[in-house]
Amino acid sequence: MLNFFQQRRHSFAKLGNWGRQSVRNLSQAADALAAYGITPEVLGRLKTFLQAKDSRELYHANPRRIADRLQLSEQQTLRLLVFALKEGIVALNWDIRCDRCGGVDFNIKGLSELHTHYTCPGCRQSALTDADRAVRVTFSIDDRLRQLDLSADDSEFREKIDAQYGVVSGHRLLTLQTFRNLFPRETIPPNESLIVRRVAILFTDLAGSTALYSRRGDTGAYSLVRHHFDHLFTVVDECNGVVVKTIGDAIMAAFTEPTDALQAGIIMHQQLAQLNQQLQLPPEDELILKIGIEVGPCISVNLNGRPDYFGTTVNTAARVQATSHGNDIAVTGTFLEDPNAAALVKDYLGQPSQLQLKGIDEPVVVYHLHPTGILI
């Protein structure tokens, strides 16, 4: 059995009874989610879930369990829960599990309380804070809407649920664009960092953008660049990623799954080809993307008040993108070691090149994929 170390942040009621007024208040609060585009059907299922008789379902609840109950995907559920967090319907918990004693620490109240090093309050082991393996996110119903009874805090129940569904890592929520958009100030402290065991980093750039500005003028060229940004941002979000930042005409995006990054790259090319046709651009002004992707470990930091990533994986992704010729996706041999990513493009792999990339000590195996004809 897991031991849980916590200062009780949740206000527990002595009795589990709650009246009609509480049900009415909860229902009215949930109705506010319609403004975010949540359908009446999903709202109905959410209300039923939040009124569950078993209060254990509503205290440090596993998002994957909630997804099962609401009949939604993990991505849809996380978005819904972030909307609910914004409306004060649920509370977000950043729980940390100690890999030595198995205890779960409920004391962390937000990202601002996560630091580079973490010391378990149970066994006193100190280690680097791991956003993938140690930090996990859970949600509890806001006690202003419903006070749970003491039976809600059942560590054996949570352990069983986690074993059945797996957990949602803290890093997964950090790569949710909806969370970044609604809570831009939710970051770790400056000068602190979190370990990320695996992240797929995608860089894009527009080929020939300098000449485009020269031909079209600043206003005309920037209008096209904004069109292209709108498409890329949407694609990243729909492929379960997050736009970390823009750099001139380029973007940097992060994904927890390599296949999501690869699918995003493919769809980006497809959408820009459609955009070129819609705008009836002459060949010399067509928007041509150069894309590079790498996967591996790095650190998550707070740079200028925004989450960012640093490390060799990020540097390699940027250098690999620079080898792109346009209308292709440059990936490393390391990236294609992921079996799902390799399966997606196995029929479209050309001959690899072994390249000496600037700032990278060892030669890197690079493949250039041409997404035309790749089905996703």
Side-chain angles (χ1 to χ4, degrees), residues 57-253:
E57 297 278 7
L58 303 174
Y59 183 67
H60 286 259
N62 185 321
R64 292 181 176 175
R65 169 76 164 193
I66 299 174
D68 185 32
R69 289 290 183 266
L70 299 184
Q71 302 172 43
L72 298 174
S73 69
E74 180 179 305
Q75 176 84 346
Q76 291 170 326
T77 302
L78 288 175
R79 284 175 177 163
L80 174 61
L81 290 170
V82 169
F83 294 149
L85 176 65
K86 187 69 174 178
E87 293 299 321
I89 299 170
V90 298
L92 169 61
N93 311 302
W94 299 88
D95 303 339
I96 302 182
R97 184 182 186 278
C98 175
D99 64 356
R100 179 180 179 182
C101 70
V104 180
D105 184 358
F106 287 179
N107 291 326
I108 305 300
K109 298 180 178 64
L111 276 175
S112 62
E113 296 187 8
L114 290 177
H115 299 277
T116 304
H117 291 87
Y118 168 75
T119 300
C120 173
C123 67
R124 307 307 300 172
Q125 172 179 265
S126 182
L128 294 174
T129 305
D130 190 327
D132 277 325
R133 296 182 182 176
V135 183
R136 72 269 302 269
V137 293
T138 61
F139 292 83
S140 303
I141 190 168
D142 193 297
D143 57 21
R144 291 171 297 182
L145 290 177
R146 177 178 175 182
Q147 285 192 319
L148 303 178
D149 56 79
L150 289 172
S151 66
D153 186 10
D154 186 335
S155 61
E156 291 187 6
F157 176 80
R158 288 190 294 269
E159 181 181 7
K160 180 180 178 181
I161 294 299
D162 290 348
Q164 179 180 353
Y165 291 93
V167 301
V168 174
S169 71
H171 182 226
R172 175 68 188 90
L173 192 62
L174 294 180
T175 59
L176 186 73
Q177 190 69 56
T178 302
F179 180 71
R180 291 281 187 93
N181 292 344
L182 293 183
F183 297 94
R185 296 183 180 179
E186 186 73 5
T187 62
I188 62 174
N191 303 318
E192 303 287 349
S193 63
L194 305 178
I195 287 179
V196 174
R197 296 285 176 172
R198 186 180 78 156
V199 62
I201 299 293
L202 179 150
F203 279 97
T204 74
D205 198 8
L206 274 178
S209 61
T210 301
L212 179 67
Y213 276 87
S214 178
R215 288 191 302 271
R216 289 248 171 181
D218 291 347
T219 302
Y222 182 69
S223 176
L224 293 178
V225 171
R226 285 305 315 168
H227 273 297
H228 123 280
F229 274 147
D230 290 343
H231 283 271
L232 299 195
F233 284 20
T234 298
V235 170
V236 170
D237 186 28
E238 291 178 347
C239 291
N240 305 322
V242 64
V243 175
V244 179
K245 58 187 173 183
T246 60
I247 312 159
D249 302 326
I251 71 165
M252 172 186 171

Side-chain angles (χ1 to χ4, degrees), residues 26-38 43 47 83-84 87-89:
L26 193 155
S27 180
Q28 291 174 347
D31 285 338
L33 299 177
Y36 297 91
I38 306 302
L43 281 177
K47 291 176 184 179
F83 294 149
E87 293 299 321
I89 299 170

